[in-house]
Amino acid sequence: MPDNNRPELELIVSADGSHTLYVPALDEHYHSVNGAINESLHVFIQAGLKHCKKKNVSILEIGLGTGLNVLMTALNQEDRVINYHALEKYPIKGALVKQLNFGSNEAESHLLQKIHALPWQNNEILKPNFHLLKDEVDLNDVKLEAGYDLVYFDAFAPEKQGDMWNETIFQKIYDAMNPRGILTTYCAKGVVRRTMQDCGFTVERIPGPKGKREMLRATKPNG
Ligand SMILES: C[S@@+](CC[C@H](N)C(=O)[O-])C[C@H]1O[C@@H](n2cnc3c(N)ncnc32)[C@H](O)[C@@H]1O
């Protein structure tokens, strides 16, 4: 990733009809080209949010990007109270945000726009019982406060952005999670699994979204 802010991005339609973004500088997409919404629902909602049994859930997302995972979480909130902390080093431009087709009706499209319209660096109410803190920051620099129940680890792939998948990063996240906290990622690489295990996580390989055989779910043991 070039370090000047806001790298060039191209809007792409993935296989389930939902948009994703392509980053030419990395030759990398924000989501699976096999379906952006499908991936978000599989990796973060089904394997993460629905697997977490807490009623009051504190979520950390690495990085916010298009806001798709916030939107899917909000649409699957049910009767939970959610505190969502999303980190993002390169916020995307408003003109691009307005084109994203993640909402399946007007209310959902409005909610997506609201996610992006809310100010950064402030804990805001997105909808009832849903607080969103958008944090424009580099994960490498941030000091995380403790207390996360669920982590959506949605960085670019290890071969594109290796500095996001090292032991320092996973140890920092592990230390900030509650016992029995869950981290999910689309990545299934053995080296990532072993790095997580070295930090103390118990790691499962579970079936991945369309186009990927497996993904990882890491749990912080109790005590
Ligand atoms: C694979 S994309 C996923 C984005 C998002 N979850 C979504 O659904 O659109 C990875 C995201 O991590 C962000 N990112 C890259 N390096 C980062 C860093 N050092 N700290 C925080 N976020 C970073 C990127 O800008 C991008 O938005």
Side-chain angles (χ1 to χ4, degrees):
M1 173 76 66
D3 220 86
N4 55 329
N5 259 346
R6 302 176 189 247
E8 184 196 339
L9 299 171
E10 294 170 14
L11 196 64
I12 304 282
V13 178
S14 69
D16 66 3
S18 58
H19 278 142
T20 186
L21 299 175
Y22 175 66
V23 193
L26 290 179
D27 186 22
E28 172 78 328
H29 294 86
Y30 271 49
H31 310 97
S32 165
V33 291
N34 294 303
I37 287 184
N38 175 76
E39 179 186 51
S40 173
L41 288 173
H42 184 104
V43 175
F44 302 110
I45 304 305
Q46 292 300 335
L49 183 66
K50 293 196 187 272
H51 191 71
C52 171
K53 298 301 171 213
K54 289 188 76 169
K55 182 113 180 178
N56 226 307
V57 193
S58 177
I59 301 176
L60 173 69
E61 178 175 20
I62 317 295
L64 170 72
T66 60
L68 176 59
N69 296 329
V70 181
L71 180 66
M72 291 301 127
T73 302
L75 298 181
N76 289 278
Q77 179 181 359
E78 297 172 347
D79 60 350
R80 295 175 195 242
V81 176
I82 293 186
N83 282 290
Y84 199 114
H85 183 191
L87 310 186
E88 178 55 64
K89 186 174 180 185
Y90 305 101
I92 59 177
K93 289 182 186 156
L96 200 49
V97 165
K98 288 197 171 53
Q99 297 177 59
L100 293 169
N101 69 355
F102 299 146
S104 65
N105 56 44
E106 210 175 305
E108 293 180 12
S109 303
H110 180 77
L111 193 58
L112 177 67
Q113 296 309 318
K114 184 171 179 186
I115 289 166
H116 289 280
L118 287 175
W120 290 83
Q121 318 305 141
N122 212 29
N123 202 14
E124 302 280 344
I125 297 174
L126 176 66
K127 62 189 277 249
N129 293 325
F130 196 121
H131 278 83
L132 174 62
L133 169 59
K134 299 192 301 178
D135 204 351
E136 184 175 353
V137 72
D138 186 328
L139 172 64
N140 291 285
D141 303 334
V142 73
K143 185 176 178 309
L144 295 172
E145 300 295 331
Y148 300 106
D149 303 301
L150 185 56
V151 178
Y152 297 162
F153 197 87
D154 201 12
F156 291 122
E159 53 275 22
K160 305 290 176 168
Q161 215 187 358
D163 66 332
M164 298 286 278
W165 301 82
N166 62 38
E167 193 167 334
T168 308
I169 291 285
F170 284 120
Q171 195 67 62
K172 174 155 76 171
I173 293 173
Y174 179 92
D175 291 344
M177 288 170 68
N178 288 329
R180 295 188 300 283
I182 297 160
L183 178 153
T184 58
T185 179
Y186 63 87
C187 180
K189 276 185 166 293
V191 63
V192 171
R193 181 169 53 90
R194 288 187 291 278
T195 304
M196 290 172 169
Q197 286 168 334
D198 288 346
C199 295
F201 284 108
T202 303
V203 189
E204 304 165 80
R205 273 187 295 224
I206 57 177
K210 191 158 181 273
K212 284 210 81 171
R213 202 161 52 86
E214 293 179 326
M215 57 168 275
L216 299 178
R217 177 166 57 209
T219 306
K220 179 169 177 168
N222 201 3

